Amino acid sequence: MSDLVELIDLKRYFGGGGNRFTGVQPVLRAVDGVSLTIRRGETLGLVGESGCGKSTLARTLIRLYRPTGGRILFDGQDITTLPDRDMQAVRRRMQMIFQDPYASLNGRMSVADLVAEPLEIAGIGTRASRRDTVAGLLERVGLGPEHAGRYPHEFSGGQRQRIGIARAIALDPDLVICDEPISALDVSIQAQVVNMLEDLQAERGLTYLFITHDLSMVRHISTRIGVMYLGRIVELAANAQLYERPRHPYTRALLASIPVADPGARRPATPMRGEIPSPLNIPSGCRFRGRCPLATDLCAAQEPALQDAGDGHLVACHYPDATDPQQGETT
Ligand SMILES: Nc1ncnc2c1ncn2[C@@H]1O[C@H](COP(=O)(O)OP(=O)(O)OP(=O)(O)O)[C@@H](O)[C@H]1O
Ligand SMILES: [Mg+2]
């Protein structure tokens, strides 16, 4: 499988501006040196606590935000500083599905117009051919011709997400970034939407970056999973490896915080302690050390690099295979 996306030390900071009246604003390092690849046809899951930079990473990848540093390769092309005019053709090939389709859909446009819009902007087809394409797309996402003339507010959350998906696949993209696509939906609807995304992936050869903080859901849909902490990837591995042998203490703590269906089940490690620090004030050395049961002087002195611990299992920890001292203790 070749790589569709390669990020090299990608950074996106906010703030840092200011003038003589405000003084210099503090710099918020939302994405702070992310290197990863997304392989063609895979689903790369991206997990991590709220505020760790997942959405900013996604938006920087598709150049909604200008990168502060690093590089973005898409299908072998360096798009880091590609001018907007040249980005248009690339952007068609990368689409996004959002958590809240209501916020991303123009409420004054009918469903048919919403789904036709990307085709129209790209100048694809005639008015009549677009109408056929839209009808096909609506049918594909489980909506009928009777829905075409209606408006977003007339639909349920799940149906609105289907409209968002129809829009996202209208231009036959290569990459679809799903940013918490199901977290706002009823549990009963979540599986339907996930199944549809999986079917569409198989039919159309889509590549997904699937962002979520639902660790039990991402396990089912992902090929590999990246774990993000304070603007960086701290662990990235094939799905089974990550769940069966998490090597970073942060991943172990995240997994430990998943509610277990079987109350008798053994928890993998001690749950998370403390709060995620502010990206305005990232600790020196290992950024996880303040919450880590394993932290030593080395962790304070030196930030661990993301390295292959074998079988392509990447981990950024000085003690990747140490067990947590508290493990097994009853709390
Ligand atoms: N446009 C912006 N301007 C300034 N700061 C921002 C902006 N967007 C995000 N941030 C900050 O960057 C950090 C990362 O935010 P981001 O939305 O990427 O996190 P996230 O992992 O997607 O969180 P969530 O799981 O809650 O969606 C946060 O501290 C956030 O406040
Ligand atoms: Mg987000």
Side-chain angles (χ1 to χ4, degrees), residues 44-45 47 218-219 222-227 235-237 239 242-243:
L44 180 68
V47 302
V218 79
R219 178 176 197 165
S222 303
T223 319
R224 296 186 302 151
I225 298 176
V227 179
E235 181 159 12
L236 197 155
N239 183 337
L242 192 96
Y243 280 86

Side-chain angles (χ1 to χ4, degrees), residues 35-178:
S35 299
L36 57 77
T37 56
I38 307 176
R39 297 173 186 159
R40 201 179 296 279
E42 81 168 338
T43 297
L44 180 68
L46 185 63
V47 302
E49 285 164 287
S50 182
C52 71
K54 303 178 297 294
S55 297
T56 305
L57 178 66
R59 288 164 166 267
T60 311
L61 190 175
I62 65 171
R63 289 271 319 269
L64 281 175
Y65 292 146
R66 186 176 43 79
T68 306
R71 287 170 67 201
I72 308 163
L73 304 184
F74 182 74
D75 202 8
Q77 184 185 11
D78 190 330
I79 62 163
T80 319
T81 55
L82 201 66
D84 280 345
R85 143 178 60 84
D86 301 321
M87 258 320 282
Q88 280 175 17
V90 179
R91 219 167 248 138
R92 273 190 211 176
R93 302 176 55 194
M94 19 170 86
Q95 297 291 322
M96 241 172 130
I97 298 170
F98 300 93
Q99 172 172 358
D100 179 6
Y102 204 44
S104 60
L105 297 174
N106 182 342
R108 282 174 303 188
M109 285 171 76
S110 71
V111 169
D113 289 343
L114 282 166
V115 177
E117 188 180 48
L119 297 160
E120 224 173 283
I121 293 173
I124 290 172
T126 60
R127 190 175 260 278
S129 76
R130 282 198 292 268
R131 207 165 20 231
D132 292 344
T133 308
V134 169
L137 285 165
L138 289 180
E139 191 187 340
R140 182 59 197 87
V141 299
L143 296 171
E146 73 278 13
H147 295 120
R150 297 199 198 151
Y151 292 84
H153 72 265
E154 300 176 62
F155 292 90
S156 67
Q159 286 173 316
R160 279 200 288 266
Q161 195 54 286
R162 289 165 192 270
I163 302 167
I165 293 169
R167 256 171 83 89
I169 61 170
L171 293 174
D172 235 342
D174 297 287
L175 175 70
V176 179
I177 295 176
C178 308

Side-chain angles (χ1 to χ4, degrees), residues 250-304:
Y250 178 62
T251 310
R252 289 198 286 268
L254 271 186
L255 291 176
S257 59
I258 302 179
V260 198
D262 170 11
R266 191 173 151 271
R267 290 190 164 247
T270 35
M272 197 79 64
R273 51 181 204 188
E275 296 277 303
I276 187 168
S278 163
L280 285 167
N281 196 6
I282 293 178
S284 61
C286 174
R287 49 195 73 202
F288 184 60
R289 70 185 160 92
R291 303 170 79 186
C292 183
L294 304 171
T296 65
D297 292 347
L298 174 62
C299 307
Q302 198 180 316
E303 178 148 37

Side-chain angles (χ1 to χ4, degrees), residues 232-234 302-308 314-318:
R232 280 208 178 218
I233 300 292
V234 295
Q302 198 180 316
E303 178 148 37
L306 188 64
Q307 281 175 330
D308 194 335
L314 305 178
V315 59
C317 178
H318 292 305

